[in-house]
Amino acid sequence: MAFAYSEKVMDHFTNPRNVGEIENCSGCGTVGNAQCGDIMRVYLDIDDNRRIRDVKFKTFGCGAAIATSSMATELVKGKTIQEALEVTNKAVMEALDGLPPVKVHCSLLAEEAIHAALWDYAEREGIVIEGLEKPKTDIHEHETEPEYALA
Ligand code: FES
């Protein structure tokens, strides 16, 4: 089935920003999309002023997940933790000039993974981030790589 994607979605899909890993990240979150089973991991590098110095992502998600993650990472980079919390999947979709309705769920992966990474950071730092809820779908283990079923 073909979908009508905006030029911005196509740009971020074909040339995604911030793909990769951050060694010794400040916080890292891995989430699974309940609707399709795809997986996303986000790495954050947060400085002493609690500002996001760098962010990277990796995903097994679809093109819409890649494009929304690319845009979401662009939007949170350089932001404070509180500002990053305001970057919702709706804000990401608006920045991409929209997504086809059947692909909206894909945009949740980035938001949830960023929140999971912030939660991981808060736990490591022993702080509470106001307005941040414990991620429901975090499958991140500090020492263990998640197991991916490739069947
Ligand atoms: Fe799974 Fe898009 S269909 S992330």
Side-chain angles (χ1 to χ4, degrees):
M1 182 188 294
F3 300 113
Y5 289 114
S6 71
E7 277 181 30
K8 284 187 186 170
V9 170
M10 291 310 295
D11 174 34
H12 280 264
F13 167 58
T14 54
N15 181 27
R17 285 64 147 178
N18 307 311
V19 172
E21 295 181 21
I22 296 175
E23 235 180 280
N24 301 319
C25 63
S26 315
C28 159
T30 305
V31 298
N33 189 314
Q35 199 162 334
C36 62
D38 288 327
I39 288 183
M40 166 86 63
R41 174 171 279 194
V42 163
Y43 304 81
L44 295 174
D45 175 21
I46 299 173
D47 69 17
D48 293 341
N49 297 316
R50 306 213 190 283
R51 192 173 284 279
I52 297 172
R53 187 163 37 202
D54 198 10
V55 52
K56 300 275 188 215
F57 78 94
K58 280 186 164 180
T59 186
F60 285 108
C62 67
I66 292 168
T68 50
S69 307
S70 170
M71 179 58 88
T73 53
E74 285 286 273
L75 291 176
V76 300
K77 199 186 256 188
K79 297 268 179 17
T80 65
I81 290 173
Q82 288 302 329
E83 289 167 343
L85 276 180
E86 289 163 23
V87 177
T88 61
N89 75 305
K90 188 165 176 279
V92 172
M93 284 195 298
E94 282 171 6
L96 286 169
D97 295 335
L99 275 180
V102 295
K103 288 288 179 182
V104 170
H105 72 94
C106 311
S107 67
L108 288 170
L109 271 175
E111 180 188 317
E112 289 176 355
I114 288 168
H115 286 190
L118 286 171
W119 185 269
D120 182 40
Y121 168 73
E123 282 195 327
R124 295 184 193 197
E125 292 285 303
I127 61 168
V128 173
I129 299 175
E130 201 179 323
L132 178 64
E133 292 179 12
K134 188 171 179 12
K136 295 186 193 76
T137 52
D138 184 16
I139 58 171
H140 172 64
E141 299 277 339
H142 280 264
E143 310 300 339
T144 316
E145 284 295 308
E147 289 178 25
Y148 301 113
L150 297 175

